[in-house]
């Protein structure tokens, strides 16, 4: 089953730890950021299932982060829980105007916090279809933790799975090695940045065995890697290779009026 990712953007360590302790027993993967710019970048990179956001952030305010997330094509539907130390009606309204789904005032009880978080999840428009991602005929099911091309299963390590998920969710975006290390191995990983090259190489080989595609993941020299964006030609080639579609096409041709006319 897929792990739910929650990004907490919170500069105060005590408040951050209390929210982490409330979420982690539920099996949620918690990502953290201490300021607005870092939080915005992590949200764009990891596409978490929820963002818990302190409105009083250094460098970029929580209101600005809300607006940026709502303006992004890939981040616009991420549920946002705004957290504030001030119970001002004007601030609550401003948070909703910026795009927040919920407004919580501190201090709060851990059970109340979880209830609010679960309520936002429940009424969110995000569906189980978000757990199915497909590009170039490679289909990932996050809930089942499976990857396949057609009927062929592609066996990946945990690191390769997370790397592939990062690429599939944002085709065409170039990721630095550092971003990929964080996405695949975690923020606290102490491995060298070049370690990611070996994981990408292995991922490429496994994908190439079933797709015959050597440029599924492209190298961006001096920067990092990206998933090649799918083109209409790619989709057309997949249709030609699909036996079901070929059979349907042949049946249509046989039954086409005048098909046997001389």
């Amino acid at each position: 089953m897929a792990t739910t990712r929650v990004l907490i953007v919170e500069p105060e360590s005590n408040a951050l730890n209390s929210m982490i302790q409330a979420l982690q027993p539920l099996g949620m993967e918690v990502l953290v950021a201490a300021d607005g710019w870092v939080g915005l970048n992590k949200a764009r990179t990891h596409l978490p299932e929820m963002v818990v956001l302190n409105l009083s952030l250094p460098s970029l305010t929580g209101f600005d982060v809300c607006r940026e997330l709502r303006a992004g094509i890939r981040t616009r539907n991420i549920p946002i829980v705004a957290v504030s130390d001030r119970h001002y009606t004007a601030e609550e309204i401003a948070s909703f105007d910026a795009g927040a789904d919920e407004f919580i005032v501190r201090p709060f009880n851990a059970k109340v916090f979880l209830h609010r978080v679960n309520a936002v999840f429940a009424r969110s428009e995000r569906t189980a279809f978000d757990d199915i991602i497909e590009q170039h005929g490679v289909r990932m099911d996050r809930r089942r933790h499976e990857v396949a091309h057609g009927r062929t299963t592609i066996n990946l390590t945990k690191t390769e799975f997370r790397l592939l998920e990062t690429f599939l969710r944002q085709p065409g975006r170039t990721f630095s090695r550092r971003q990929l290390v964080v996405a695949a191995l975690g923020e606290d990983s102490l491995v060298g940045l070049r370690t990611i090259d070996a994981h990408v190489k292995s991922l490429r080989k496994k994908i190439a065995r079933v797709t015959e595609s050597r440029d599924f993941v492209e190298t961006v020299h001096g920067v990092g890697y990206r998933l090649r964006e799918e083109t209409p030609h790619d989709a057309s080639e997949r249709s030609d290779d699909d036996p079901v579609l070929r059979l349907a096409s042949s049946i249509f041709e046989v039954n086409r009026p005048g098909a046997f006319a001389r």
Side-chain angles (χ1 to χ4, degrees):
M1 185 173 181
T3 302
T4 299
R5 286 195 197 122
V6 176
L7 169 63
I8 302 177
V9 189
E10 172 59 66
E12 299 176 16
S13 59
N14 289 337
L16 174 63
N17 289 333
S18 67
M19 287 187 281
I20 291 175
Q21 289 170 9
L23 293 172
Q24 282 187 333
L26 301 180
M28 296 185 181
E29 177 185 353
V30 180
L31 308 173
V32 299
D35 68 63
W37 285 114
V38 174
L40 182 59
N41 184 54
K42 285 194 174 184
R44 288 169 171 168
T45 300
H46 297 282
L47 299 178
E49 278 70 31
M50 176 178 287
V51 174
V52 179
L53 183 65
N54 186 321
L55 294 175
S56 302
L57 293 171
S59 73
L60 187 69
T61 71
F63 299 101
D64 291 329
V65 174
C66 268
R67 283 187 280 267
E68 289 290 333
L69 292 176
R70 290 294 175 249
I73 294 175
R74 297 185 177 94
T75 58
R76 63 178 53 161
N77 293 322
I78 298 176
I80 301 172
V81 175
V83 178
S84 176
D85 295 319
R86 300 183 293 271
H87 197 179
Y88 297 152
T89 300
E91 181 159 306
E92 183 174 358
I93 293 173
S95 71
F96 290 133
D97 287 342
D101 297 280
E102 182 61 270
F103 180 86
I104 305 178
V105 179
R106 286 199 302 236
F108 47 70
N109 179 277
K111 290 184 179 179
V112 173
F113 171 67
L114 287 178
H115 178 78
R116 295 286 189 89
V117 166
N118 287 327
V120 172
F121 273 130
R123 65 177 182 259
S124 168
E125 293 181 357
R126 293 173 66 88
T127 68
F129 290 106
D130 292 326
D131 289 316
I132 305 295
I133 321 169
E134 183 172 357
Q135 289 288 332
H136 301 280
V138 175
R139 179 183 175 89
M140 170 178 283
D141 187 328
R142 291 184 63 236
R143 287 192 179 277
R144 294 177 177 273
H145 208 270
E146 294 176 349
V147 177
H149 181 266
R151 296 183 179 181
T152 305
T153 299
I154 305 173
N155 295 313
L156 302 179
T157 65
K158 181 180 178 180
T159 298
E160 291 164 354
F161 187 92
R162 298 189 69 171
L163 264 181
L164 180 60
E165 180 187 354
T166 301
F167 288 129
L168 289 177
R169 295 182 77 172
Q170 302 192 63
R173 173 177 175 176
T174 299
F175 292 91
S176 69
R177 288 179 173 84
R178 178 58 189 164
Q179 288 174 321
L180 293 174
V181 166
V182 171
L185 300 171
E187 195 168 10
D188 298 328
S189 175
L190 300 178
V191 302
L193 296 184
R194 290 291 174 179
T195 301
I196 211 67
D197 295 344
H199 292 296
V200 170
K201 182 178 181 181
S202 177
L203 176 62
R204 279 172 167 164
K205 284 184 177 179
K206 291 181 179 181
I207 297 295
R209 286 187 196 128
V210 296
T211 66
E212 299 182 358
S213 173
R214 299 292 175 181
D215 58 350
F216 183 81
V217 175
E218 299 176 322
T219 300
V220 182
H221 295 288
V223 183
Y225 299 95
R226 69 181 172 213
L227 176 66
R228 179 172 59 84
E229 288 194 89
E230 194 169 33
T231 66
H233 177 69
D234 294 323
S236 175
E237 283 192 336
R238 279 209 314 278
S239 297
D240 292 340
D241 292 338
D242 191 318
V244 175
L245 291 178
R246 286 203 307 271
L247 176 60
S249 178
S250 64
I251 293 173
F252 173 79
E253 181 63 25
V254 168
N255 289 280
R256 181 175 56 84
F260 296 101
R262 291 285 184 262

